[in-house]
């Protein structure tokens, strides 16, 4: 029996990854490759990193297997119709034709590009914590804060492809400036680097999210305040999103989401303040049901779950 694979590509602010993913959402062993991105790299270097991971994945396609498509998840904002990307953390790429670049490398298969947050929502809905729910937001809390939406069982990307960008929803009670130009955006408060930066301004002496997690476990008061602050901001953003689109469940992954399980309790506490809106307080906030392969599984879902991608 011929096995059909999708090539999954995930472009972020620090790396680009690619892998082969099967129709059950499994990443083929030894097919996953990464190359650096980052704000200090030139446009040519970023393009070379994408070409590198695609070429390396192609070399791992098993004999007799069929490639049925490629899915690309990119940090946003994006221009879905034209396949162009303008990742906030990659300033040399503005309206960069990423889809065309991937098509040039893979001319014989269809290529679909969507925002990475939408891919995460697809992955959670397909094989993660969102299985069995039709109104899902997938979130990443890491270097940035991203999100995507599944409503009534189908993806919602909006006219430009950027719907679900929960990291750039402003939340009340915060005045942190955001690189997007906003004030009090969830990402500017609750991402790993921004939480660490806030803790350092309060006198904490660590420098990474891992160190903040260790300080939290040791009972450090500043670390505890930083985690509470971030969880509250995320929870307020989720409450607002649920009030807007009536979500069933929010599944959250990403490195900083694992700083402590208590982060989720702070999110839930923030949502619980909406006491007169049972349709808001009903929303479930849960950790991702996926491994670190989640972004790649979501990119592959653009191919394997094309029936729900609209």
């Amino acid at each position: 029996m011929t096995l059909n694979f999708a090539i999954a590509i995930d472009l972020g602010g620090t790396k680009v990854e690619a892998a082969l993913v099967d129709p059950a959402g499994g990443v083929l062993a030894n097919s996953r490759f990464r190359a650096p991105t980052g704000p200090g790299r030139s446009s040519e270097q970023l393009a070379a990193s994408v070409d590198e991971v695609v070429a390396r994945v192609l070399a791992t396609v098993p004999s007799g297997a069929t490639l049925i498509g490629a899915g690309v998840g990119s940090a946003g904002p994006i221009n879905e119709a034209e396949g162009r990307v303008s990742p906030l953390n990659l300033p040399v790429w503005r309206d960069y034709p990423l889809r065309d670049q991937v098509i040039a490398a893979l001319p014989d298969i269809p290529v679909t590009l969507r925002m990475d947050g939408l891919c995460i929502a697809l992955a959670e809905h397909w094989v993660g914590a969102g299985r069995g729910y039709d109104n899902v937001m997938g979130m990443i809390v890491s270097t940035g804060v991203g999100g995507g939406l599944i409503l009534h069982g189908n993806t919602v990307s909006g006219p430009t492809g950027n719907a679900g960008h929960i990291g750039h929803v402003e939340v009340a009670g915060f005045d942190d400036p955001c690189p997007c130009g906003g004030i009090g955006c969830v990402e500017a408060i609750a991402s790993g680097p921004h939480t660490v930066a806030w803790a350092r301004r309060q006198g904490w002496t660590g420098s990474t999210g891992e160190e903040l997690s260790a300080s939290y476990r040791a009972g450090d008061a500043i670390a505890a305040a930083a985690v509470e602050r971030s969880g509250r901001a995320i929870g307020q953003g989720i409450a607002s999103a649920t009030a807007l689109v009536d979500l069933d469940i929010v599944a959250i992954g990403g490195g900083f989401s694992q700083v402590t399980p208590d982060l989720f309790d702070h999110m839930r506490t923030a949502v619980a303040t909406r006491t007169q809106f049972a349709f808001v307080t009903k929303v479930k906030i849960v950790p991702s049901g996926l491994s670190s392969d989640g972004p790649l599984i979501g990119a592959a879902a653009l191919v394997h779950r094309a029936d729900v991608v609209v």
Side-chain angles (χ1 to χ4, degrees):
M1 181 178 67
T2 300
L3 189 57
N4 297 325
F5 285 103
I7 292 185
I9 302 164
D10 176 58
L11 174 77
T14 59
K15 66 183 184 304
V16 58
E17 291 191 288
L20 296 175
V21 180
D22 66 30
V27 176
L28 182 67
N30 302 315
S31 76
R32 182 176 178 176
F33 301 97
R34 68 171 57 182
T37 58
R41 299 180 76 81
S42 69
S43 178
E44 293 76 16
Q45 288 173 319
L46 295 175
S49 287
V50 173
D51 284 341
E52 175 190 335
V53 295
V54 171
R56 295 182 74 184
V57 167
L58 279 174
T60 69
V61 177
S63 177
T66 299
L67 294 179
I68 60 172
V72 185
S74 173
I78 69 170
N79 180 327
E80 182 181 300
E82 298 181 7
R84 294 176 176 271
V85 304
S86 304
L88 194 62
N89 296 323
L90 300 177
V92 297
W93 271 8
R94 291 295 176 263
D95 285 321
Y96 181 79
L98 179 60
R99 186 176 62 198
D100 286 348
Q101 179 182 341
V102 176
I103 288 172
L106 301 169
D108 299 323
I109 60 174
V111 176
T112 303
L113 181 143
R114 294 290 189 272
M115 191 172 69
D116 55 358
L118 183 72
C119 294
I120 287 296
L122 262 174
E124 295 290 352
H125 183 253
W126 182 21
V127 293
R131 283 177 295 180
Y133 295 91
D134 283 336
N135 301 284
V136 179
M137 183 161 68
M139 284 184 68
I140 291 290
V141 179
S142 186
T143 305
V145 176
L149 294 169
I150 304 280
L151 298 180
H152 299 293
N154 294 312
T155 63
V156 177
S157 59
T160 66
N162 293 289
H165 223 138
I166 186 69
H168 295 280
V169 168
E170 296 183 4
V171 289
F174 300 92
D175 59 5
D176 307 52
C178 182
C180 80
I183 300 294
C185 291
V186 173
E187 179 172 300
I189 302 156
S191 74
H194 283 111
T195 303
V196 165
W198 182 87
R200 287 179 60 83
R201 292 196 296 272
Q202 313 312 307
W204 181 68
T205 58
S207 59
T208 67
E210 291 82 2
E211 290 172 343
L212 189 72
S213 178
S215 293
Y216 185 91
R217 292 193 302 272
D220 182 272
I222 295 175
V227 168
E228 187 278 333
R229 183 177 189 269
S230 294
R232 176 161 44 96
I234 298 167
Q236 287 179 217
I238 290 171
S240 295
T242 303
L244 187 66
V245 297
D246 203 0
L247 295 166
D248 296 320
I249 190 168
V250 179
I252 305 176
F256 194 69
S257 73
Q258 301 170 28
V259 64
T260 168
D262 295 347
L263 182 70
F264 284 79
D265 292 334
H266 294 309
M267 298 177 204
R268 296 174 186 127
T269 296
V271 171
T273 63
R274 306 292 183 97
T275 55
Q276 298 304 307
F277 279 174
F279 80 95
V280 172
T281 57
K282 77 175 186 323
V283 69
K284 298 180 180 180
I285 304 175
V286 299
S288 168
L290 305 170
S291 69
S292 61
D293 293 336
L296 291 168
I297 294 170
L302 296 171
V303 178
H304 290 307
R305 295 301 312 277
D307 58 311
V308 302
V309 179
V310 297

